[in-house]
Amino acid sequence: MRIEQRPLPATLPDLGDMPPLLTRLYAARGIQTPEELDKSLARLIPAAQMKGISEAIELLVDALEKRQRILIVGDFDCDGATATTIGVLALRAMGAEHVDYLVPNRFEYGYGLTPEIVAVALERQPELLITVDNGISSIDGVAAAKAAGLRVLVTDHHLPASELPAADAIVNPNQPGCAFPSKALAGCGVIYYVMLSLRGRLRSVGWFARRGIAEPNLGDLLDIVALGTVADVVPLDANNRILVHQGIARIRAGRARPGILALLKVGRREHARVSAMDMGFIAGPRLNAAGRLSDMSLGIECLLCDDPDQAFAMATELDDLNKERRAIEQDIRDDALAQIDNLELDDLPFGLCLFDESWHQGVIGIVASRLKEKYNRPALVFADAGGDMVKGSGRSVPGFHLRDALDAIAARHPGLLRKFGGHAMAAGMTIERERFAEFSLAFDQEVRRHLSADDLSERLVTDGELNPEDFQLEVARGISQAGPWGQQFPQPLFHGMFEVIAQKVVGEKHVKLVLKTPGKGVPLEAIAFNVDREAWPNEDVSQVQLAYRLDINLFREKEILQLVVESLEAA
């Protein structure tokens, strides 16, 4: 394992009355001014800068005034579920009398607004169809909806192809000609912006007063925005950090939706101490489990539910699905690793492509993520999609834009990719089963065009070493509060040498350590999760090289400083 220190600018910025350590951490993440750290809602980029927002609001206002039937078509992941929930709750709060949602079952219909889903939608007799977290690539689906006499509003954040759907309005910060500075909004963030703009328009025309409706506080939906934003692993730029920070603040104050509180409860997390990491690793996977193994409607209903007891019952069901998902994932991961074990490390493709007839379509994305993390290279995992097709899900590494790579492959090999879409770090694709080997070779060649062998070497980027006086609860608390941390704004990671005082196994596959900095310092507790049990614990080791995060462990209502170990090596 190669440990590298995150580069710092030649001169640290002046961030005001900021502890030196936090100044260093912020500077390493590109922060240059105190204004970039302002996480108040007033600092959100105005929606007016978003292309298509005016046309979208005209559609929505007209639908409300005419009491039209509105149908939201979402996606079957966490971002899609949260975006759907935001749209339903906000429109109902603003007086829409007929709002419903439809989420395609991934195993029957696949992703997005397809003509087949439009046919299902028409059974509900909508007049306005709104896509959330999908639609920008739904050329045929939008055409089918328009041919049926529907008006269509596309809200999405995925990268568009060369052709855009012929919708009545499109709101997507990544569409050509959109001047909105933040291209990192998740699907839930896009629909939230649309609802903010709609509320502003309705306020200006006296809608709420005329209808006798209390103007809704859309800040109450920010907990849902935070969950979807973090779970979709979009970059936490300044704008997204505001949305996530505000949402988490509401969760910590107990002002979250009953469904989110229930998801945290079944995940054994106290809402008062919740972090962005908990959104990504506790609430998100449980919500996602519905779309992976069953029907995402269960997850959406959990978020829509106003009754805490009913929400907890649904969250418990989601927790059970997540346990089942973990078991399936482990089996597929074992199979995938067995395939890779037949190759020497030096013979591994730069871009991994794996397929097995028996693998579960709903879990392949997670397995791709695990393989990407283990082998530090882009990974695509495929499953049977019925007929002569296989469907893949991919995850990438920094420096390799996955969606652009698929676009390049499609250009070089016409017809090889039947469907594809996504963004830089994650994407999905469909190919013919008999062309899997051909695609695997093309993908590996494309990765080699962009990444070198050195790029694929195993390494950790840290924020350097801590001084002995930094090992304090106050420092750990300050780092936690300085977030939210996440994609492209990574949680601080440090490295250093430590003397080993004691070590023992806990929970069968974790190792608890008592350490101290060499030659000085008070004892420090550390925990290394999922260690190699053949290597650890090792009583012959007296010094270790660690990469770790500063954390606070709450044990019997007492806070204890703890190092959460990311890399553990004998010195």
Side-chain angles (χ1 to χ4, degrees):
M1 175 71 71
R2 190 171 80 207
I3 294 179
E4 300 177 358
Q5 185 167 337
R6 202 178 310 278
L8 286 168
T11 303
L12 292 182
D14 181 4
L15 300 180
D17 187 18
M18 178 78 62
L21 176 59
L22 287 183
T23 298
R24 189 179 100 197
L25 297 175
Y26 281 136
R29 286 152 182 79
I31 299 297
Q32 298 177 331
T33 65
E35 288 73 24
E36 295 174 79
L37 300 176
D38 183 351
K39 291 172 282 194
S40 65
L41 289 174
R43 293 284 299 176
L44 280 177
I45 300 169
Q49 297 185 42
M50 202 173 285
K51 182 180 180 181
I53 197 77
S54 296
E55 295 86 345
I57 300 313
E58 294 300 332
L59 276 177
L60 290 166
V61 170
D62 190 55
L64 288 174
E65 289 179 340
K66 293 178 179 177
R67 294 180 166 85
Q68 291 182 344
R69 302 181 67 86
I70 302 172
L71 182 66
I72 296 174
V73 179
D75 186 21
F76 39 66
D77 67 357
C78 191
D79 187 20
T82 52
T84 300
T85 303
I86 290 164
V88 170
L89 290 174
L91 286 170
R92 288 176 180 171
M94 286 187 272
E97 297 177 7
H98 307 285
V99 183
D100 200 0
Y101 70 88
L102 174 64
V103 177
N105 184 299
R106 75 194 306 156
F107 310 110
E108 295 180 46
Y109 299 103
Y111 169 79
L113 183 70
T114 61
E116 294 79 10
I117 280 298
V118 171
V120 176
L122 289 173
E123 296 173 5
R124 306 192 190 185
Q125 300 180 324
E127 294 162 279
L128 173 62
L129 192 152
I130 305 172
T131 71
V132 293
D133 193 34
N134 76 95
I136 197 66
S137 60
S138 300
I139 310 298
D140 295 338
V142 170
K146 294 294 295 177
L150 302 184
R151 295 194 296 174
V152 181
L153 165 57
V154 168
T155 75
D156 201 352
H157 72 121
H158 293 96
L159 297 174
S162 57
E163 180 183 0
L164 295 179
D168 294 274
I170 299 175
V171 182
N172 181 339
N174 289 300
Q175 68 176 307
C178 184
F180 193 76
S182 172
K183 307 300 181 183
L185 277 178
C188 60
V190 175
I191 190 64
Y192 185 71
Y193 259 89
V194 172
M195 293 299 107
L196 285 175
S197 297
L198 175 60
R199 184 188 62 178
R201 175 68 66 82
L202 294 176
R203 177 195 298 145
S204 69
V205 299
W207 167 266
F208 299 111
R210 282 191 281 116
R211 295 293 300 273
I213 300 171
E215 183 177 317
N217 178 6
L218 296 185
D220 291 338
L221 300 179
L222 282 166
D223 56 333
I224 310 175
V225 179
L227 171 55
T229 299
V230 173
D232 210 46
V233 203
V234 293
L236 289 192
D237 62 6
N239 207 62
N240 276 340
R241 289 201 304 276
I242 293 171
L243 293 171
V244 173
H245 169 80
Q246 292 288 338
I248 288 177
R250 281 162 172 76
I251 297 171
R252 287 174 176 169
R255 293 168 53 194
R257 298 290 304 171
I260 290 183
L261 295 176
L263 288 168
L264 293 171
K265 186 174 181 180
V266 297
R268 299 181 181 180
R269 287 296 189 276
E270 295 181 25
H271 70 265
R273 297 169 57 88
V274 74
S275 67
M277 182 175 289
D278 294 324
M279 294 291 97
F281 290 96
I282 301 300
R286 286 166 173 80
L287 191 63
N288 261 330
R292 294 190 184 282
L293 301 187
S294 181
D295 185 341
M296 183 46 95
S297 296
L298 174 62
I300 295 171
E301 288 301 316
C302 181
L303 294 179
L304 288 173
C305 183
D306 289 319
D307 181 87
D309 293 334
Q310 292 179 13
F312 184 75
M314 285 186 274
T316 300
E317 190 174 347
L318 289 167
D319 188 48
D320 290 339
L321 282 172
N322 193 50
K323 291 172 183 174
E324 181 182 350
R325 185 272 303 169
R326 285 178 182 167
I328 295 170
E329 176 200 334
Q330 186 61 57
D331 289 343
I332 297 176
R333 197 190 323 180
D334 290 344
D335 288 349
L337 293 175
Q339 287 189 24
I340 295 173
D341 282 346
N342 292 327
L343 300 170
E344 296 292 334
L345 185 60
D346 292 341
D347 295 330
L348 277 183
F350 277 32
L352 295 174
C353 276
L354 301 172
F355 165 65
D356 190 279
E357 295 276 356
S358 67
W359 289 350
H360 194 293
Q361 192 183 122
V363 180
I364 53 176
I366 307 175
V367 176
S369 181
R370 302 288 186 259
L371 296 176
K372 178 263 296 186
E373 292 166 1
K374 181 175 177 62
Y375 296 104
N376 196 43
R377 64 196 65 210
L380 308 182
V381 180
F382 287 79
D384 177 37
D388 60 352
M389 296 293 173
V390 294
K391 184 172 292 185
S393 186
R395 301 293 184 269
S396 193
V397 296
F400 186 73
H401 195 296
L402 190 51
R403 197 268 175 199
D404 284 358
L406 295 175
D407 200 27
I409 292 171
R412 289 192 178 94
H413 306 271
L416 180 56
L417 280 155
R418 286 295 188 90
K419 285 192 284 188
F420 69 92
H423 38 81
M425 303 304 290
M429 67 243 45
T430 301
I431 62 174
E432 295 175 43
R433 179 184 274 98
E434 64 181 18
R435 302 188 73 176
F436 175 75
E438 179 186 354
F439 174 80
S440 298
L441 178 60
F443 182 66
D444 183 52
Q445 291 172 340
E446 187 62 28
V447 177
R448 290 174 186 271
R449 287 188 180 95
H450 298 273
L451 300 179
S452 67
D454 186 61
D455 293 324
L456 305 181
S457 62
E458 192 174 8
R459 58 185 173 180
L460 273 178
V461 178
T462 81
D463 291 286
E465 299 190 42
L466 287 178
N467 296 318
E469 60 269 21
D470 290 328
F471 293 99
Q472 300 180 47
L473 280 171
E474 291 74 16
V475 174
R477 192 174 292 113
I479 291 174
S480 175
Q481 294 170 349
W485 310 103
Q487 182 71 13
Q488 294 188 23
F489 201 76
Q491 187 173 20
L493 183 70
F494 307 99
H495 73 266
M497 296 284 294
F498 296 87
E499 294 179 6
V500 179
I501 299 174
Q503 51 185 308
K504 66 176 181 179
V505 177
V506 293
E508 296 185 1
K509 52 184 178 180
H510 316 310
V511 169
K512 194 78 175 278
L513 302 128
V514 180
L515 311 166
K516 70 173 183 176
T517 52
K520 64 179 95 172
V522 297
L524 300 166
E525 292 191 7
I527 180 79
F529 294 105
N530 300 311
V531 300
D532 180 355
R533 289 288 283 105
E534 293 184 2
W536 300 97
N538 187 340
E539 299 299 333
D540 294 328
V541 173
S542 60
Q543 284 197 327
V544 288
Q545 169 88 28
L546 300 185
Y548 62 92
R549 292 183 284 107
L550 273 190
D551 193 29
I552 299 174
N553 181 32
L554 185 64
F555 183 69
R556 293 178 181 174
E557 299 186 359
K558 181 181 180 182
E559 291 185 334
I560 301 170
L561 183 70
Q562 179 176 256
L563 312 188
V564 177
V565 178
E566 296 284 333
S567 172
L568 171 64
E569 294 184 357

